[in-house]
Amino acid sequence: MVKICLECQSEPEERGPGSALRELLTDGETASTDTCSGARLTDFCAVWDAGVLLVSAAGKGAPSGVTGRRLNESETLNSVREAQFQQLEAARPRGPGRGARGLVLRMAGQPPPWAYTAVLLCALSLGGAIEIPMDPSIQNELSQPPTITKQSVKDHIVDPRDNILIECEAKGNPAPSFHWTRNSKFFNIAKDPRVSMRRRSGTLVIDFRSGGRPEEYEGEYQCFARNKFGTALSNRIRLQVSKSPLWPKENLDPVVVQEGAPLTLQCNPPPGLPSPVIFWMSSSMEPISQDKRVSQGHNGDLYFSNVMLQDMQTDYSCNARFHFTHTIQQKNPFTLKVLTNHPYNDSSLRNHPDMYSARGVAERTPSFMYPQGTASSQMVLRGMDLLLECIASGVPTPDIAWYKKGGDLPSDKAKFENFNKALRITNVSEEDSGEYFCLASNKMGSIRHTISVRVKAAPYWLDEPKNLILAPGEDGRLVCRANGNPKPTVQWMVNGEPLQSAPPNPNREVAGDTIIFRDTQISSRAVYQCNTSNEHGYLLANAFVSVLDVPPRMLSPRNQLIRVILYNRTRLDCPFFGSPIPTLRWFKNGQGSNLDGGNYHVYENGSLEIKMIRKEDQGIYTCVATNILGKAENQVRLEVKDPTRIYRMPEDQIAKRGTTVQLECRVKHDPSLKLTVSWLKDDEPLYISNRMKKEEDSLTIFGVAERDQGSYTCVASTELDQDLAKAYLTVLADQATPTNRLAALPKGRPDRPRDLELTDLAERSVRLTWIPGDDNNSPITDYVVQFEEDQFQPGVWHDHSKFPGSVNSAVLRLSPYVNYQFRVIAINEVGSSHPSLPSERYRTSGAPPESNPSDVKGEGTRKNNMEITWTPMNATSAFGPNLRYIVKWRRRETRETWNNVTVWGSRYVVGQTPVYVPYEIRVQAENDFGKGPEPDTIIGYSGEDLPSAPRRFRVRQPNLETINLEWDHPEHPNGILIGYTLKYVAFNGTKVGKQIVENFSPNQTKFMVQRADPVSRYRFSLSARTQVGSGEAVTEESPAPPNEATPTAAPPTSPPTTVGAPGTASSTDATAAAAATEATTVPTVPPTTTATTEATTVPTVPPVAPTTTATTEATASTATTTTTESPATTSRTEIQESAPDEQSIWNVTVLPNSKWANISWKHNFGPGTDFVVEYTDSNHTKKTVPVKAQAQPVQLTDLYPGMTYTLRVYSRDNEAISSAAVTFMTSAAYTNNQADIATQGWFIGLMCAIALLVLILLIVCFIKRSRGGKYPVREKKDVPLGPEDPKEEDGSFDYSDEDNKPLQGSQTSLDGTIKQQESDDSLVDYGEGGEGQFNEDGSFIGQYTVKKDKEETEGNESSEATSPVNAIYSLA
């Protein structure tokens, strides 16, 4: 038995695809390189057994068919034969594994003679040129021009101690002769006794055993191989002798350097061929330790970024190693003398966190040691390695980083060397040109150097000329296309001579890089050379033109027998040869129709593939090869065999030690094939002992022992296929055996179903059959069938249908034009199994779509557009290739013609639309088979804009307590109204209250305002809102009351003071500047805040405001004043933007306080996107806060009061997607101006002084009384108190609490009024005339004074309650 397996894989460039096969076919001679086409025959395996050819597998490029085998119990057909060979042979030669490359022929035993030509067709189909078969009968008949098969490299460097060998080998029929040129002149070998040429080869051998200098033979050599059909040329081989010159002798003085300074030790090796390898060592041959501070450059020099004292501990010697001579030359060593401020080399300082400062070395910014300056340039050839180097000095040692301007470094080719000081990019291409820069940085600063890289290219092939084999009268062409930088020139030669000097040929035409042959004849045979070159190199290629005249002939034995398994895929091969290349056709059972299409596929090489074998495919197949010179035919007989199946598998068993166990394995197979049943234990061949009995359908084990426990596998195999079934045997000790095996074993998820098989293939359905896996002691309840398609969502599995656990075959309904692949999942009460291995693919035919996309919408994203979107259709609803959508739209109710456009995506934007206009929209699906049904009409709207102002805004005041507002909807809504915004503020003369904002629903057109006081007026501003924003506002004011008077401004030097009736508290009004400041501040007001609440809130004027002036305190003799403070106002910073089309962040809103701020924003990213909030204060201190997805609003803490911040929000995944910058300022820190007066030091001191004075006066009084003198208790005021005052009647006084006195800077209520208490006294009685006057709201703003006793001091504030004299009077 002989096994032949041909595999075609990728191959190293230097050998060329297919060369290994050609070497085997030609006894080691390599043919011209051809291209290996993966779309052609790439796998051919057969077994030759007694004249029967058993074909096993198809090419990798062919579509896979339905296997119809149990995937986890059956091996591939190759594995079946592997098992057969192992039984027949003690050792079978193994081919290369997955890592093997090239075209490999694997054989077991000696193949028949036709086997060489049987694989020829693969080689012919893989190559771009026709290869002559190596069959001796054909070889002796066909002639072939010479072809170079082996030659030395272009730059050939030799060892002067050895003989020189310059290789040149070629093949041809007849065998070629050879001659050489040296420096473009004929090299006469016969005249030089040292030079000889090998037999049947052109390889030169130069022998120096008898003396001579190799340098005398340096030069440029070229080999010529010639026979009567043409001449082939080798490359121009430049011969050079290796050189390793000695290092010049020199005395090196010690190098004196300051500690911390940079240093370069130059190597300057002698020039060698090839260049030597440089490394540094000490004179005692100890290697120099290198790190980012001390390292060797690419030029061989040793660089110190900064010198340290420990560098003196060794010397430094440069060494050069020469490749050919295997010698190392050493330069005289350098010795260092380091000047230092810290003479002691304390080893503990090496690990000091600040080693340089500890040693007194001054830190300095980086500077470049190599290359010099800030910019340089470098040229590199395509395909070579680019090495960029930057070495910098500095203290501390700088770090080096590499960047490329305008892009990223090529991660797959770039790597860093020499402690990041060198950047190497392998296999450079034109895309790697550009500007690179290295950045050297330490804590003192950074510096960078820019390197401009230019990529040039020696010539490289785009289309290398191939050998051309033609029949007489045929046309052909040789193409020689190469590229390079600069652009290479192309020169054609024929038989080694320039084409211009060759004899004219009327059948030949040269067109630049192409030679065209027309009506070729036998005399046209020659070898053509294409030489393409530029300043960086050259390429030389030989291609012969051979004219053959051969009728078709078959290369394989006649009447082969091929046996295949049912439902498998197979290939019938018919190798042939002829010139011109024959055409091949296949016929079955002598029928006249050619087999191609449907279940058959004919490859370019003539092989016939049957995608899925059925019983009716059995028969005799005839292949016919035809050309103009004749035809030839051959027959192949195909037999279809039933698969091998184990229909009763062994089951898991639990047996007691010493009992008998029987494992069943009943097999169904094709009766014409020999069946072999074998057993494995724990996946190893089972040794059948005398306690075991192997029968055709069972295995019996007598006297079960513990060593028999394990897994048993039944292997049923024929020469074509095999099937496996496994069971596990558990052996128990002498304890009682459980009666219920399921109860004794733990339950688990079922094993995956296996051996998926597709049958009954139809256009819209297919039958899927599978073999259930082990239920693991829990019955299977359901099967879920999933499918995957490779067009829209490759690799994504979708549920197709669900079936009960009692079935293992189901008919699946399919959609048109879907390349289905199925898998099955088993489910029991424990859980789901792993998915089965996928089935083979099955593609249904196409059809027009039967539905249209869903969720069609038309919405505007801007005021002048409308975006039409829809949910795209999936693979099962596409029904055909090139799924697209016909989008139609027109203005509603205008009956204008439909606009339409074809879209491949899921959105389309209509531009230049009016604002918020309805459109009729239709989206219809279409593929290459036709259009879908007529779509439904959807109503969409173009983009919205800001609305116009509300109409007829009316303000009515039915009484002094309420104000009624009414309005009509805007005339031009310009979109969907989402509500109204009302802003209003109370004002009274120059005083303005806090603004209140109310939001209303779009249907509300009325609102009632509760007045806080009967005298203040209100200013209202009303605007409508759409989704775009608020539109134009309309402003109205409440009617003025009938008794409204013009306010009188207070004198600037004396702020106005409000005086109340007896018992009424007095407070000082806020200045006009403070009121103006309050009016321009828009606080954040909760929607539930009413106007009454706002009117009674007294904001605190910041004491540091520049517009705040000093105020005059007023006191009352009998009342307590309470001042209400509002919380610090919070400003709102917001940037209103429209939603963008692309991924963006907009509408960043900031709500700051004194030490914190709340941040929110809008975005159109998907869920799960993280953001970063970045803010910078006025001191340029930048901070960032990461924000998890959907974690809005975000609170920034630890802010400074009164400081300005700049803020932006950007995506954590892409910093380039950022919001616009927002600037905001935190409010000033809250200052309690009205601190408790009782805790003030000055107040405590004053009270102590008053108490001491009262004590002294009391002592004086007692002294006078004891002497009988008279003294006045008190003197009555000029204006007596009214009899209504109960405190006067009982002679008592109520001193006002100093803690509740109005302090400087306090304010009155918002309307500036104080409710007047009931009193019959006239305010004029308390003044010195009628100079007081009332404000428009009834509050008294005149100056209040009283008649003073001679004990009272004149002043701006009343001293009646606090006078010490009055206190004495009261005590008396």
Side-chain angles (χ1 to χ4, degrees):
M1 179 178 290
V2 177
K3 180 175 180 181
I4 302 172
C5 186
L6 178 66
E7 297 177 354
C8 180
Q9 303 172 0
S10 61
E11 183 169 35
E13 182 178 354
E14 59 271 18
R15 298 191 62 194
S19 63
L21 171 66
R22 298 188 187 96
E23 289 176 5
L24 200 153
L25 296 180
T26 59
D27 295 330
E29 294 180 346
T30 302
S32 61
T33 58
D34 296 331
T35 303
C36 181
S37 173
R40 300 177 180 177
L41 178 61
T42 56
D43 186 32
F44 174 87
C45 291
V47 175
W48 176 262
D49 186 8
V52 179
L53 177 66
L54 307 177
V55 179
S56 64
K60 299 175 184 178
S64 58
V66 180
T67 61
R69 299 199 310 252
R70 305 181 186 184
L71 298 180
N72 66 337
E73 294 185 356
S74 302
E75 302 293 331
T76 62
L77 203 53
N78 287 338
S79 301
V80 177
R81 294 184 175 80
E82 295 283 349
Q84 297 296 325
F85 292 146
Q86 289 175 359
Q87 296 177 6
L88 296 176
E89 301 173 3
R92 191 178 76 82
R94 298 286 181 178
R98 290 184 177 270
R101 306 181 69 186
L103 195 59
V104 181
L105 185 66
R106 301 187 305 189
M107 306 181 64
Q110 181 63 32
W114 63 266
Y116 292 108
T117 54
V119 297
L120 170 67
L121 195 57
C122 176
L124 295 180
S125 65
L126 298 176
I130 298 178
E131 193 69 33
I132 299 175
M134 291 296 103
D135 190 300
S137 62
I138 298 178
Q139 283 288 306
N140 295 333
E141 297 177 8
L142 302 180
S143 58
Q144 182 176 349
T147 301
I148 301 292
T149 59
K150 189 176 183 181
Q151 56 184 318
S152 295
V153 295
K154 294 180 180 179
D155 291 318
H156 189 31
I157 302 176
V158 296
D159 191 338
R161 299 170 298 178
D162 299 332
N163 293 335
I164 296 177
L165 199 70
I166 309 177
E167 292 183 314
C168 177
E169 297 182 7
K171 68 175 182 177
N173 189 16
S177 60
F178 299 89
H179 73 272
W180 287 82
T181 62
R182 179 186 175 194
N183 298 330
S184 301
K185 295 181 180 180
F186 176 72
F187 184 43
N188 194 342
I189 300 174
K191 289 185 178 181
D192 193 334
R194 296 190 183 95
V195 182
S196 63
M197 188 182 299
R198 286 182 176 176
R199 186 183 177 190
R200 296 181 182 177
S201 170
T203 299
L204 287 181
V205 179
I206 306 176
D207 192 351
F208 297 102
R209 286 178 296 181
S210 58
R213 298 179 64 251
E215 291 78 4
E216 297 176 357
Y217 292 89
E218 290 184 332
E220 187 177 78
Y221 293 80
Q222 191 167 23
C223 174
F224 293 75
R226 175 179 299 169
N227 66 10
K228 64 178 181 179
F229 301 115
T231 302
L233 277 66
S234 73
N235 290 324
R236 296 187 297 274
I237 301 170
R238 183 185 178 191
L239 179 65
Q240 294 176 285
V241 179
S242 173
K243 298 178 179 63
S244 54
L246 297 177
W247 218 301
K249 296 294 182 180
E250 56 182 343
N251 294 323
L252 301 177
D253 296 330
V255 179
V256 180
V257 63
Q258 183 69 37
E259 186 176 18
L263 175 64
T264 303
L265 299 182
Q266 296 183 351
C267 180
N268 296 329
L273 186 68
S275 300
V277 177
I278 305 299
F279 57 95
W280 286 81
M281 303 184 74
S282 66
S283 57
S284 59
M285 302 305 292
E286 294 290 336
I288 301 300
S289 177
Q290 298 187 24
D291 52 23
K292 74 173 185 177
R293 183 180 68 88
V294 181
S295 62
Q296 176 184 322
H298 183 63
N299 59 1
D301 294 346
L302 189 64
Y303 293 90
F304 294 78
S305 295
N306 50 77
V307 176
M308 299 303 293
L309 187 62
Q310 63 262 25
D311 296 333
M312 289 196 309
Q313 296 178 358
T314 183
D315 54 7
Y316 302 86
S317 178
C318 182
N319 296 264
R321 179 170 59 85
F322 294 91
H323 172 69
F324 280 93
T325 59
H326 302 288
T327 58
I328 296 177
Q329 297 189 24
Q330 189 176 50
K331 187 177 182 178
N332 288 342
F334 293 94
T335 58
L336 299 185
K337 182 178 181 181
V338 181
L339 306 180
T340 178
N341 298 326
H342 197 296
Y344 300 104
N345 187 15
D346 190 352
S347 59
S348 62
L349 295 179
R350 296 184 183 182
N351 300 323
H352 195 277
D354 197 352
M355 177 181 62
Y356 297 98
S357 298
R359 295 199 54 82
V361 178
E363 297 178 338
R364 52 186 174 83
T365 58
S367 61
F368 282 110
M369 305 175 68
Y370 180 86
Q372 300 291 332
T374 59
S376 60
S377 62
Q378 192 166 335
M379 189 273 289
V380 64
L381 290 181
R382 179 182 184 271
M384 306 297 289
D385 286 359
L386 170 64
L387 183 65
L388 305 178
E389 193 172 31
C390 280
I391 302 177
S393 65
V395 178
T397 304
D399 294 315
I400 305 295
W402 291 91
Y403 305 92
K404 182 180 181 182
K405 290 186 178 180
D408 297 329
L409 295 176
S411 58
D412 56 334
K413 301 191 299 180
K415 60 180 180 179
F416 302 104
E417 300 176 353
N418 197 16
F419 310 101
N420 269 29
K421 298 179 183 181
L423 169 65
R424 182 181 297 274
I425 300 177
T426 59
N427 192 21
V428 172
S429 60
E430 287 78 1
E431 294 79 8
D432 297 320
S433 61
E435 290 190 353
Y436 297 77
F437 67 90
C438 56
L439 184 69
S441 60
N442 60 13
K443 66 179 182 179
M444 301 301 296
S446 61
I447 187 175
R448 74 176 187 176
H449 182 92
T450 302
I451 305 175
S452 178
V453 175
R454 295 174 292 113
V455 178
K456 300 292 185 179
Y460 57 92
W461 290 118
L462 297 178
D463 198 346
E464 184 178 2
K466 303 293 189 301
N467 295 334
L468 188 61
I469 300 178
L470 302 174
E474 284 187 338
D475 299 339
R477 65 178 60 196
L478 291 178
V479 180
C480 177
R481 291 194 180 96
N483 198 6
N485 187 6
K487 183 72 175 179
T489 59
V490 175
Q491 179 189 12
W492 284 101
M493 294 182 290
V494 57
N495 296 328
E497 299 294 334
L499 196 61
Q500 296 81 357
S501 60
N505 187 344
N507 300 329
R508 181 180 64 208
E509 177 184 351
V510 180
D513 56 9
T514 304
I515 300 180
I516 303 173
F517 300 92
R518 295 186 174 88
D519 192 21
T520 55
Q521 301 301 324
I522 298 296
S523 59
S524 301
R525 290 181 292 192
V527 181
Y528 289 83
Q529 289 83 33
C530 173
N531 184 68
T532 173
S533 61
N534 63 11
E535 61 188 65
H536 302 296
Y538 74 94
L539 292 174
L540 178 67
N542 293 276
F544 65 74
V545 177
S546 182
V547 181
L548 298 179
D549 196 357
V550 181
R553 63 176 65 184
M554 293 296 169
L555 303 179
S556 61
R558 303 182 63 84
N559 301 322
Q560 300 178 59
L561 172 61
I562 297 179
R563 297 182 292 177
V564 296
I565 297 298
L566 185 67
Y567 301 128
N568 273 4
R569 181 181 59 179
T570 191
R571 177 176 299 192
L572 308 181
D573 293 304
C574 183
F576 61 92
F577 179 73
S579 179
I581 299 177
T583 58
L584 190 74
R585 294 182 298 168
W586 284 88
F587 304 94
K588 179 184 177 185
N589 297 330
Q591 297 178 0
S593 59
N594 183 28
L595 298 179
D596 196 5
N599 197 33
Y600 301 100
H601 178 70
V602 178
Y603 286 89
E604 294 180 6
N605 61 2
S607 297
L608 174 67
E609 181 188 61
I610 306 176
K611 300 178 182 178
M612 187 175 67
I613 293 293
R614 297 164 295 189
K615 285 289 187 182
E616 55 266 27
D617 292 325
Q618 182 168 290
I620 297 176
Y621 291 81
T622 304
C623 60
V624 180
T626 308
N627 68 8
I628 59 175
L629 301 178
K631 71 176 182 179
E633 67 179 42
N634 199 355
Q635 289 184 343
V636 178
R637 184 159 59 94
L638 179 67
E639 290 185 356
V640 180
K641 304 298 181 181
D642 292 328
T644 302
R645 290 288 180 267
I646 300 176
Y647 66 92
R648 179 167 295 180
M649 296 177 290
E651 296 182 351
D652 295 343
Q653 295 190 34
I654 301 176
K656 186 177 179 181
R657 186 173 57 184
T659 59
T660 300
V661 173
Q662 185 178 46
L663 299 174
E664 284 190 312
C665 181
R666 298 190 179 183
V667 184
K668 178 182 178 183
H669 72 289
D670 194 289
S672 63
L673 300 178
K674 181 182 178 180
L675 176 66
T676 301
V677 179
S678 59
W679 288 86
L680 306 176
K681 181 178 184 296
D682 297 330
D683 298 328
E684 296 292 337
L686 175 66
Y687 171 72
I688 305 298
S689 65
N690 55 4
R691 295 187 301 107
M692 298 181 183
K693 180 180 180 181
K694 176 188 172 185
E695 298 177 323
E696 183 178 352
D697 56 359
S698 65
L699 174 67
T700 305
I701 305 175
F702 302 96
V704 172
E706 292 181 355
R707 63 178 180 273
D708 296 325
Q709 180 169 297
S711 64
Y712 290 81
T713 304
C714 175
V715 181
S717 59
T718 65
E719 61 264 36
L720 296 183
D721 68 339
Q722 72 174 11
D723 198 9
L724 309 174
K726 182 179 292 187
Y728 194 86
L729 174 62
T730 303
V731 179
L732 299 180
D734 295 334
Q735 289 83 5
T737 303
T739 57
N740 187 349
R741 183 177 67 90
L742 295 182
L745 296 177
K747 297 181 180 180
R749 297 189 304 171
D751 291 344
R752 67 175 70 186
R754 42 196 164 85
D755 199 8
L756 272 63
E757 181 178 350
L758 297 178
T759 57
D760 301 340
L761 305 177
E763 289 188 357
R764 298 293 179 267
S765 66
V766 68
R767 175 174 289 278
L768 176 65
T769 305
W770 62 91
I771 301 299
D774 195 335
D775 61 7
N776 291 326
N777 310 318
S778 177
I780 297 175
T781 58
D782 298 286
Y783 288 103
V784 176
V785 177
Q786 296 182 329
F787 75 93
E788 180 260 350
E789 53 83 25
D790 58 0
Q791 182 177 0
F792 288 86
Q793 291 180 299
V796 178
W797 291 89
H798 308 272
D799 289 347
H800 184 280
S801 49
K802 191 174 185 179
F803 301 98
S806 59
V807 303
N808 67 334
S809 180
V811 176
L812 307 179
R813 299 300 173 187
L814 308 179
S815 297
Y817 200 73
V818 178
N819 195 16
Y820 282 100
Q821 190 177 31
F822 300 98
R823 70 181 186 185
V824 182
I825 299 174
I827 302 174
N828 63 9
E829 65 178 7
V830 179
S832 301
S833 71
H834 293 292
S836 69
L837 298 178
S839 69
E840 300 296 333
R841 289 196 177 273
Y842 177 65
R843 179 183 289 278
T844 55
S845 58
E850 296 181 359
S851 61
N852 290 310
S854 60
D855 198 19
V856 179
K857 296 178 183 179
E859 298 175 345
T861 59
R862 300 180 184 276
K863 66 179 181 180
N864 59 348
N865 75 355
M866 177 179 64
E867 183 181 55
I868 303 174
T869 59
W870 58 90
T871 300
M873 301 168 65
N874 56 26
T876 58
S877 57
F879 286 15
N882 293 326
L883 178 65
R884 51 199 179 269
Y885 305 97
I886 302 174
V887 183
K888 298 181 180 180
W889 72 93
R890 69 179 180 184
R891 289 272 299 272
R892 188 181 183 185
E893 298 176 354
T894 59
R895 296 304 177 187
E896 62 184 12
T897 59
W898 288 91
N899 302 286
N900 68 84
V901 67
T902 301
V903 179
W904 273 261
S906 60
R907 63 187 290 267
Y908 180 74
V909 179
V910 180
Q912 305 301 321
T913 61
V915 175
Y916 200 67
V917 172
Y919 280 84
E920 295 179 342
I921 302 171
R922 296 178 180 176
V923 180
Q924 184 180 26
E926 181 185 24
N927 60 25
D928 287 354
F929 291 95
K931 298 180 179 179
E934 284 297 321
D936 296 333
T937 300
I938 306 299
I939 304 300
Y941 288 84
S942 57
E944 301 183 24
D945 199 0
L946 299 177
S948 60
R951 295 181 299 166
R952 301 181 61 199
F953 184 34
R954 304 175 294 280
V955 180
R956 295 186 177 91
Q957 184 171 318
N959 51 52
L960 294 179
E961 286 77 20
T962 60
I963 300 176
N964 293 334
L965 309 178
E966 296 183 5
W967 62 89
D968 294 341
H969 295 301
E971 182 179 1
H972 302 289
N974 293 335
I976 300 176
L977 284 180
I978 62 174
Y980 294 92
T981 299
L982 174 66
K983 301 177 182 179
Y984 61 96
V985 62
F987 65 93
N988 192 345
T990 59
K991 287 171 286 187
V992 180
K994 294 172 62 176
Q995 180 175 262
I996 300 174
V997 180
E998 298 282 353
N999 291 317
F1000 308 121
S1001 65
N1003 298 324
Q1004 183 172 349
T1005 57
K1006 295 180 180 180
F1007 183 66
M1008 182 178 68
V1009 178
Q1010 294 288 342
R1011 295 173 61 92
D1013 60 86
V1015 295
S1016 296
R1017 296 180 60 190
Y1018 289 86
R1019 183 176 296 111
F1020 301 94
S1021 177
L1022 180 68
S1023 61
R1025 300 193 315 274
T1026 63
Q1027 296 180 3
V1028 178
S1030 298
E1032 180 184 356
V1034 57
T1035 303
E1036 293 290 344
E1037 295 183 356
S1038 61
N1043 57 349
E1044 182 176 10
T1046 304
T1048 302
T1053 58
S1054 178
T1057 303
T1058 301
V1059 179
T1064 303
S1066 300
S1067 63
T1068 306
D1069 289 344
T1071 62
T1077 303
E1078 184 64 33
T1080 58
T1081 303
V1082 182
T1084 302
V1085 181
T1088 57
T1089 303
T1090 61
T1092 304
T1093 304
E1094 288 295 334
T1096 58
T1097 301
V1098 182
T1100 300
V1101 178
V1104 296
T1107 57
T1108 303
T1109 60
T1111 59
T1112 304
E1113 297 182 358
T1115 61
S1117 60
T1118 59
T1120 300
T1121 302
T1122 302
T1123 303
T1124 304
E1125 296 179 357
S1126 68
T1129 59
T1130 302
S1131 62
R1132 179 188 181 98
T1133 303
E1134 181 175 358
I1135 297 181
Q1136 292 286 348
E1137 305 173 33
S1138 59
D1141 295 334
E1142 301 177 351
Q1143 285 188 336
S1144 297
I1145 304 170
W1146 72 95
N1147 278 15
V1148 178
T1149 304
V1150 183
L1151 295 176
N1153 205 308
S1154 60
K1155 293 185 179 180
W1156 51 265
N1158 285 337
I1159 314 297
S1160 61
W1161 60 89
K1162 296 181 179 179
H1163 63 87
N1164 53 7
F1165 287 85
T1169 303
D1170 294 342
F1171 299 91
V1172 177
V1173 177
E1174 177 186 279
Y1175 58 99
T1176 307
D1177 59 19
S1178 53
N1179 295 329
H1180 304 288
T1181 301
K1182 182 184 294 185
K1183 296 182 180 179
T1184 58
V1185 177
V1187 181
K1188 292 293 183 181
Q1190 308 298 331
Q1192 294 192 51
V1194 179
Q1195 187 173 89
L1196 304 182
T1197 58
D1198 297 332
L1199 302 182
Y1200 294 98
M1203 181 167 285
T1204 302
Y1205 290 86
T1206 302
L1207 177 142
R1208 72 183 182 107
V1209 181
Y1210 60 87
S1211 170
R1212 188 172 185 178
D1213 297 329
N1214 188 355
E1215 187 175 347
I1217 303 179
S1218 172
S1219 69
V1222 178
T1223 301
F1224 68 93
M1225 185 175 70
T1226 55
S1227 59
Y1230 174 75
T1231 303
N1232 187 3
N1233 293 328
Q1234 296 184 349
D1236 190 358
I1237 195 172
T1239 61
Q1240 301 298 315
W1242 64 269
F1243 180 76
I1244 296 174
L1246 179 61
M1247 291 297 102
C1248 292
I1250 294 174
L1252 180 60
L1253 182 60
V1254 170
L1255 182 58
I1256 295 173
L1257 292 177
L1258 287 176
I1259 294 173
V1260 173
C1261 290
F1262 281 114
I1263 294 173
K1264 288 185 177 184
R1265 180 177 294 240
S1266 64
R1267 293 179 180 179
K1270 296 181 179 179
Y1271 60 91
V1273 178
R1274 65 174 177 177
E1275 297 180 2
K1276 295 292 184 179
K1277 294 184 179 181
D1278 294 338
V1279 182
L1281 295 175
E1284 296 83 358
D1285 192 345
K1287 299 176 183 179
E1288 177 63 25
E1289 292 177 356
D1290 59 11
S1292 64
F1293 287 86
D1294 184 10
Y1295 290 91
S1296 61
D1297 188 358
E1298 289 292 341
D1299 292 346
N1300 294 323
K1301 290 178 61 177
L1303 298 179
Q1304 198 171 22
S1306 64
Q1307 299 180 6
T1308 62
S1309 60
L1310 186 62
D1311 56 0
T1313 62
I1314 300 176
K1315 188 173 182 180
Q1316 187 176 8
Q1317 296 184 1
E1318 294 181 1
S1319 176
D1320 295 334
D1321 294 340
S1322 175
L1323 290 174
V1324 182
D1325 295 339
Y1326 289 83
E1328 294 181 339
E1331 297 299 326
Q1333 53 181 325
F1334 288 85
N1335 202 343
E1336 58 186 11
D1337 58 354
S1339 62
F1340 185 72
I1341 64 173
Q1343 189 162 356
Y1344 167 62
T1345 59
V1346 298
K1347 294 182 179 181
K1348 303 173 178 56
D1349 297 327
K1350 58 184 177 181
E1351 292 85 4
E1352 295 175 84
T1353 59
E1354 294 183 1
N1356 195 29
E1357 82 180 34
S1358 174
S1359 60
E1360 180 180 7
T1362 60
S1363 171
V1365 178
N1366 291 340
I1368 296 174
Y1369 289 159
S1370 63
L1371 292 175

